[in-house]
Amino acid sequence: MRSAVKPSVKIVEVGPRDGLQNEKQPISVDTKVGLVERLVAAGVTHIEAASFVSPKWVPQMAGSAEVMARVPKVPGVHYSALVPNLQGLESALAAGCEEVAVFAAASETFSQRNINCSIRESLERFRSVVDTARAQGVRVRGYVSCVLGCPFEGAIDPEQVAGVAVALAEMGCGEISLGDTIGRGTPDGARRMLEATARRLGIERLAGHYHDTWGMAVANIAASLEMGVRTFDSSVSGLGGCPYAPGATGNVATEDAVYLLHGMGYDTGIDLGKLAEAGRYIGEALGRPTSSRVAKALAASCA
Amino acid sequence: MRSAVKPSVKIVEVGPRDGLQNEKQPISVDTKVGLVERLVAAGVTHIEAASFVSPKWVPQMAGSAEVMARVPKVPGVHYSALVPNLQGLESALAAGCEEVAVFAAASETFSQRNINCSIRESLERFRSVVDTARAQGVRVRGYVSCVLGCPFEGAIDPEQVAGVAVALAEMGCGEISLGDTIGRGTPDGARRMLEATARRLGIERLAGHYHDTWGMAVANIAASLEMGVRTFDSSVSGLGGCPYAPGATGNVATEDAVYLLHGMGYDTGIDLGKLAEAGRYIGEALGRPTSSRVAKALAASCA
């Protein structure tokens, strides 16, 4: 029998950032704030709401300071923002961010193509970002991309993932989010990658960030749960798509992740019905159907 | 390191039957045969190709005898057909079927609503079907539906599933296919159900038949694989939809199941690219987009 108190899992909602930044059309600040409001109303407590990259590079993230100013300030709700460098960090600090995130790759080629520098150079650049943030009492999350494969290199050695994760942790990143950027991983690969990384960092600070491009994300979350991972990134309505496979799915839908977690007896604090409402809101705003099977099933069973 | 010889998994393709019977539009025999031909070309060796139920009840299955007559007879390729009763069995035998399947439910209410009799009555009816088939040297597969939940009753006791599975096995069914008819199960529930059933029948004769309505099918297959299940039912392109949630997904897409299995180091004998071609063929014939994430990702990466 299960104990009366359910174990809990932390969902980090990345739809407003990782999701929307991969949508093709411009998105107003009003729409972004409206999405965050609905996510908060659904009980989501960790939201990556903005990105302080140059709007020249990612126009969808314009207005991030205004978004941060307008999102509902609710006790227990935490917002974070992506920062590529010190300049981005300064903007994030000015906007009152209490947590920021830096992003490194586990693939050398991906690092070069995505952020125009080697993995080592990117880590050096992040060091001053992390130092400055922590001196201000701001938490830093570290992303590692391509942990289960690279669009350019193919397979990635789990030890390579572990090495980048350790470097981020040693410079002061608290949580390390391990991303299957191209969504090609399967549960055995996820387990090997997590084993290699947890051996050096412990499992507690690791988060699973799985893309559902090849339909494997829910299975990878289930496998990670069994390994002891208790933090997962997801994107309401499966926002974002996949830049490496246009037309295909990107981040796992938060609705699907939450359905799995609740079904397996974990508490997320999230109301699935209200979460699906947030998904419908942004889907209507973008004129795009949901990528969430759970959202589709909920809509069909209400029809 | 993995051994050189990959362990193999048997895929039972149910798209031409379980899939097409849930499509709304009429489907010509030519189209059905064309689909089966493409599945065989992709290396699929077990295909449920027909259903000898009354076309009054399931008009999409009209022409089953002609389908069975026309599908390619290739060594190593096995066709089966669903039979609801002795009359259906006679038609299947006349059509030269070498394997038939009977279907019982693990839910009393579902049994009443789906086949108008109690579970016990359905099992009694199947006994003569199984006896007659086996006397002719024809193998019989037993389906159990609602193994992870019922649209009317909700949760289903794993022991109830095991009981129905045992009854089918005792009357002479070889393989027992355990169906999550409403696609609401999660891996922990699948494990409990499989444990209860395998305790009485062994794991070897059990097949997993998972619907992807709530996006959990691939995770349930992965969990079942770990339990030792080596046979899975699936439907190319995710054909069929879900009669209990119109607009939502039904059977797990064969493409998604095969991608998972290959990614986890299992051999299916199936060529994923050719399988996706079979999916595109039937999708074009039906004018319906694929439900397979893998098919979408493949199409996107070729674009």
Side-chain angles (χ1 to χ4, degrees):
Chain A
M1 295 298 289
R2 287 209 187 110
S3 68
V5 178
K6 291 182 180 178
S8 76
V9 164
K10 171 179 160 187
I11 288 282
V12 178
E13 169 63 47
V14 299
R17 198 283 301 172
D18 197 15
L20 292 183
Q21 81 169 33
N22 287 311
E23 295 289 337
K24 290 224 183 304
Q25 54 200 299
I27 300 134
S28 74
V29 168
D30 281 353
T31 299
K32 292 178 192 170
V33 173
L35 172 60
V36 172
E37 286 170 346
R38 282 161 181 80
L39 291 167
V40 171
V44 180
T45 53
H46 293 79
I47 304 175
E48 198 176 78
S51 173
F52 291 94
V53 292
S54 166
K56 260 189 288 187
W57 298 108
V58 188
Q60 290 86 344
M61 289 294 107
S64 279
E66 192 185 344
V67 169
M68 291 304 297
R70 288 178 51 192
V71 292
K73 311 301 183 292
V74 176
V77 174
H78 306 279
Y79 299 105
S80 61
L82 202 70
V83 298
N85 49 33
L86 270 175
Q87 198 184 337
L89 175 65
E90 278 160 26
S91 303
L93 293 175
C97 286
E98 60 178 15
E99 180 171 339
V100 296
V102 296
F103 47 98
S107 153
E108 199 58 57
T109 313
F110 190 87
S111 184
Q112 290 288 354
R113 304 248 193 142
N114 193 42
I115 53 178
N116 288 309
C117 62
S118 70
I119 296 172
R120 178 192 290 260
E121 286 164 341
S122 75
L123 293 171
E124 279 163 15
R125 186 194 295 167
F126 294 144
R127 187 177 302 278
S128 56
V129 174
V130 176
D131 286 347
T132 309
R134 296 192 71 208
Q136 307 266 340
V138 164
R139 290 187 306 279
V140 186
R141 182 176 218 234
Y143 280 104
V144 186
S145 65
C146 299
V147 302
L148 298 179
C150 166
F152 311 111
E153 295 187 10
I156 296 292
D157 182 351
E159 293 302 334
Q160 169 80 1
V161 177
V164 176
V166 166
L168 288 168
E170 283 180 348
M171 72 174 71
C173 291
E175 196 165 84
I176 307 293
S177 172
L178 301 162
D180 180 13
T181 309
I182 53 172
R184 294 202 70 137
T186 48
D188 56 335
R191 267 191 291 265
R192 285 194 296 271
M193 180 275 295
L194 288 170
E195 275 163 9
T197 310
R199 208 177 294 128
R200 297 175 64 183
L201 286 178
I203 200 83
E204 297 75 16
R205 71 198 298 175
L206 306 183
H209 179 111
Y210 297 114
H211 283 214
D212 202 26
T213 315
W214 294 75
M216 301 294 122
V218 170
N220 289 337
I221 292 175
S224 306
L225 267 175
E226 274 166 37
M227 300 274 303
V229 176
R230 292 294 177 267
T231 303
F232 295 97
D233 301 354
S234 60
S235 178
V236 66
S237 186
L239 283 178
C242 174
Y244 306 99
T249 310
N251 281 112
V252 64
T254 308
E255 296 93 320
D256 297 8
V258 166
Y259 182 89
L260 171 81
L261 292 164
H262 290 185
M264 294 191 65
Y266 292 91
D267 182 31
T268 63
I270 295 173
D271 179 310
L272 185 58
K274 289 184 182 171
L275 178 67
E277 281 173 34
R280 277 196 298 278
Y281 164 83
I282 191 65
E284 283 168 17
L286 296 173
R288 123 201 231 296
T290 186
S291 290
S292 162
R293 304 210 158 188
V294 166
K296 282 180 204 161
L298 276 171
S301 45
C302 297
Chain B
M1 296 298 289
R2 285 209 187 109
S3 68
V5 177
K6 291 181 179 178
S8 77
V9 164
K10 170 178 161 188
I11 288 281
V12 178
E13 170 62 48
V14 298
R17 198 282 303 170
D18 198 15
L20 291 183
Q21 80 169 33
N22 287 309
E23 295 288 338
K24 291 225 181 304
Q25 54 200 297
I27 299 133
S28 74
V29 168
D30 280 353
T31 299
K32 291 177 193 170
V33 173
L35 173 60
V36 171
E37 286 169 346
R38 283 159 180 83
L39 290 167
V40 171
V44 179
T45 53
H46 293 80
I47 303 174
E48 198 177 78
S51 173
F52 291 93
V53 293
S54 166
K56 259 189 289 186
W57 298 107
V58 187
Q60 290 86 344
M61 290 295 108
S64 279
E66 193 184 343
V67 169
M68 291 303 298
R70 288 179 50 193
V71 291
K73 310 301 182 293
V74 177
V77 174
H78 306 279
Y79 299 105
S80 61
L82 202 70
V83 297
N85 49 34
L86 270 175
Q87 196 184 339
L89 174 66
E90 278 160 26
S91 304
L93 294 175
C97 288
E98 59 180 16
E99 180 172 338
V100 296
V102 296
F103 45 99
S107 152
E108 200 57 58
T109 313
F110 189 87
S111 185
Q112 289 288 354
R113 304 248 192 143
N114 193 42
I115 52 178
N116 288 309
C117 63
S118 68
I119 296 172
R120 177 191 291 260
E121 285 164 343
S122 74
L123 293 171
E124 279 163 16
R125 187 192 298 166
F126 294 144
R127 185 176 304 278
S128 56
V129 175
V130 177
D131 286 347
T132 309
R134 296 192 71 208
Q136 307 267 339
V138 164
R139 290 188 306 280
V140 186
R141 184 175 216 234
Y143 280 106
V144 186
S145 64
C146 299
V147 302
L148 297 178
C150 165
F152 312 111
E153 294 186 11
I156 295 291
D157 182 351
E159 293 302 337
Q160 168 81 358
V161 176
V164 176
V166 166
L168 288 167
E170 284 181 347
M171 72 175 71
C173 291
E175 197 166 82
I176 307 292
S177 172
L178 300 162
D180 180 13
T181 309
I182 53 173
R184 295 203 68 139
T186 49
D188 57 335
R191 267 191 290 267
R192 286 194 296 272
M193 180 275 294
L194 289 170
E195 275 163 11
T197 309
R199 207 177 296 128
R200 296 175 66 183
L201 285 180
I203 200 82
E204 297 76 17
R205 72 198 297 175
L206 306 183
H209 179 111
Y210 298 114
H211 283 213
D212 203 25
T213 315
W214 294 75
M216 302 294 121
V218 171
N220 290 337
I221 292 174
S224 305
L225 267 175
E226 276 167 35
M227 301 274 304
V229 176
R230 291 295 177 268
T231 303
F232 295 97
D233 300 355
S234 60
S235 177
V236 66
S237 185
L239 283 177
C242 175
Y244 307 98
T249 311
N251 280 113
V252 65
T254 308
E255 296 93 321
D256 297 9
V258 166
Y259 181 89
L260 171 81
L261 292 164
H262 291 184
M264 293 190 68
Y266 292 90
D267 182 31
T268 64
I270 295 173
D271 179 309
L272 186 56
K274 288 185 183 170
L275 178 66
E277 281 173 34
R280 277 196 297 279
Y281 164 84
I282 191 66
E284 283 167 18
L286 296 173
R288 124 200 230 296
T290 184
S291 290
S292 162
R293 305 212 155 185
V294 166
K296 282 180 203 162
L298 277 171
S301 44
C302 298

